[in-house]
Amino acid sequence: MASNITLSAGVRQNLLALQNTAALQSITQNRLATGKKVNSALDNPTNFFTSSSLSSRASDLSSLLDAMSNGIKTLEAADNGLTSITKTVESMQATISQARQDASFKGASYTVDATTIGTASLKNLTFSGGAVTGSVNVALNQLAAAATPATVTSTGAVDYSANPDLSALNGQTVSINGTVVYTFTNAVAGQAAALKAAIDGIGGGGVYTATLAATGVNISRADGTNFTVTTSNAAVATSIGIPNNTTTTNGVPAVAASTFTVDQLVTSINGNTSLQGKVKASNDSGKLRIENLSTEDLSVVGVSGTDGEIDGTTGVSNTATVGGNSVRKNLITQFNDLRNQLDKLADDASFNGVNLLKGDTLKL
C-alpha cells in the first residue's frame, strides 16, 4: 500500500521536482493557448484587473468604430443618391432646353370660300382640342347692322303758334354740311313747315328728317353719319330753336354685310385671347394658314369635307385636324420619365434602413 512506501530523500526531492515541472508545463500550455500571460486574478491580480478594464474599453471603442463605419456608409449612400439626382436634373434641364428650341409646329393652309360663306347668316370657324380650352369661335362674316340716326335736337323755347312771324329773317339761310338748304322770305305763314319740307327733301328724300317740335326743329340723318348745321346768323338759330354751327356726335353709321378677308381673319384669330399662344394664323399667299402650337391634335370645324376650303359648314365631316408637335411630345415623355426616376433614386439612397434623403435621422 502507498502509505507503507518509504521514499528516500533524493527520490522525494526528484518527485517534487517532477510535480513542479508538470505544474509549470500546464501554466505554459495555458498561456500558449490563450495568448495571455495572466489568465486569472491568481496569476497576477493587479495585471489581471488592469487587463480586464482595458479589454472592456477596447470592446467599447470597437463598437463605436463599427457604428461610425455604418454612419459613413449611410452618408455615402445619400451622397451617391444626390449625385444621381443631380445628373438626372441636368438631363431634365437639357430636355427642356431642347424642347424650347424646337419649333416644328404643324400647320395647314386653307382657301376661304367667300361665296359659300355669304352674308345671310353668321358663320364661324371653331377651334377645339390642342391647347385650346373648350371651343372657341371666330366669325367668318359680318351681318348687316342698322344705322343709328345722327340727330341735332332743338334747344331753344320756340312756340310757332305764339310767334309765327319769321319775316324778320328775310334772306337768312340754314345750311347743312355747308350747303344752303333753306332761305327765309318775307312771307309770314308756313315758313316752319317749308323749312321741314326742304330738309326732308335733301338728296331726293329719306336722307334727312326734320320734326317740328314746340321747342323748335329736330333734324336727323338716317345713315348715322355726323353732320353740321349752320345758320347765317344767331337770330336764325334762336328762331328755329337749334344750336348754330353744330356737329352731331351721337350717330352710328350702318354696317354693310360682308365676308372677312384672309388678313381680317388672321387679325381676328391672333387677337383672340383664348387662342393666343395656342393657335397662330398667317396669310399664306392668299390662303389662311392655321398653325397648331400644341403637342396634341387641333380640330377646326368649318372646313368643307369635299374641297377642303373654309366655308363655315359644320358637322363631323366638315372638321379638319391639324396635328400636334410630335418632337415636343416625345421630349415631354422623356422629361416625365426622368422626373419619375427622381423618387426612385431617393428611395435607393439608404443603408441599413436609414435614408437621409427621405427625412430619416442618423444616430451614432
Side-chain angles (χ1 to χ4, degrees):
M1 297 184 64
S3 57
N4 296 326
I5 296 174
T6 302
L7 299 177
S8 64
V11 174
R12 187 180 298 278
Q13 184 175 3
N14 289 335
L15 181 60
L16 291 175
L18 289 174
Q19 290 178 341
N20 289 334
T21 300
L24 292 174
Q25 182 180 4
S26 177
I27 293 173
T28 302
Q29 288 178 343
N30 187 35
R31 289 177 177 176
L32 291 174
T34 60
K36 298 179 180 179
K37 181 179 180 180
V38 178
N39 287 287
S40 68
L42 296 177
D43 295 336
N44 189 321
T46 301
N47 291 344
F48 175 80
F49 289 110
T50 300
S51 174
S52 179
S53 176
L54 292 175
S55 297
S56 298
R57 181 60 176 166
S59 178
D60 293 340
L61 291 175
S62 179
S63 297
L64 290 176
L65 183 61
D66 291 340
M68 293 176 66
S69 177
N70 290 335
I72 291 173
K73 294 293 184 182
T74 303
L75 291 174
E76 288 178 349
D79 180 66
N80 292 334
L82 287 175
T83 301
S84 300
I85 289 174
T86 300
K87 292 181 178 179
T88 302
V89 171
E90 289 174 351
S91 298
M92 293 171 65
Q93 290 174 336
T95 303
I96 292 174
S97 298
Q98 186 177 354
R100 286 179 174 176
Q101 294 172 1
D102 178 75
S104 56
F105 295 108
K106 295 182 179 180
S109 298
Y110 306 98
T111 299
V112 178
D113 185 356
T115 302
T116 303
I117 293 173
T119 57
S121 61
L122 185 64
K123 292 186 177 181
N124 296 314
L125 199 61
T126 304
F127 298 92
S128 62
V132 179
T133 302
S135 298
V136 179
N137 294 326
V138 175
L140 294 171
N141 59 355
Q142 177 177 269
L143 304 184
T148 301
T151 306
V152 171
T153 305
S154 301
T155 59
V158 177
D159 187 348
Y160 293 114
S161 61
N163 184 23
D165 186 1
L166 298 177
S167 59
L169 303 179
N170 182 43
Q172 301 300 320
T173 60
V174 176
S175 300
I176 295 180
N177 290 340
T179 301
V180 176
V181 297
Y182 185 76
T183 301
F184 289 92
T185 65
N186 286 325
V188 175
Q191 292 208 59
L195 173 61
K196 169 180 167 42
I199 295 173
D200 289 343
I202 296 175
V207 179
Y208 289 93
T209 301
T211 303
L212 296 178
T215 56
V217 179
N218 298 328
I219 304 174
S220 299
R221 180 173 173 126
D223 64 1
T225 304
N226 293 340
F227 60 94
T228 302
V229 179
T230 307
T231 57
S232 54
N233 61 31
V236 178
T238 302
S239 298
I240 64 176
I242 63 173
N244 190 33
N245 299 326
T246 301
T247 301
T248 63
T249 57
N250 61 333
V252 178
V255 178
S258 62
T259 299
F260 293 137
T261 64
V262 172
D263 288 336
Q264 288 175 319
L265 291 175
V266 169
T267 300
S268 180
I269 293 173
N270 292 337
N272 191 313
T273 56
S274 297
L275 298 177
Q276 289 177 352
K278 304 170 184 177
V279 177
K280 181 181 178 181
S282 60
N283 188 330
D284 182 11
S285 300
K287 294 183 178 181
L288 178 64
R289 180 169 180 79
I290 303 298
E291 193 171 4
N292 179 16
L293 306 181
S294 171
T295 58
E296 303 298 330
D297 291 347
L298 174 71
S299 296
V300 185
V301 178
V303 180
S304 173
T306 304
D307 54 18
E309 296 183 351
I310 293 177
D311 58 9
T313 52
T314 59
V316 177
S317 61
N318 298 309
T319 300
T321 300
V322 181
N325 187 327
S326 58
V327 175
R328 283 199 175 189
K329 188 173 184 178
N330 292 334
L331 290 173
I332 289 175
T333 301
Q334 180 179 340
F335 178 86
N336 290 333
D337 291 341
L338 291 171
R339 183 178 60 183
N340 292 334
Q341 289 181 14
L342 293 177
D343 291 336
K344 296 179 181 179
L345 292 172
D347 291 337
D348 294 340
S350 63
F351 183 81
N352 282 345
V354 179
N355 192 330
L356 299 179
L357 301 187
K358 303 290 286 186
D360 293 342
T361 301
L362 176 63
K363 296 181 179 180
L364 299 179

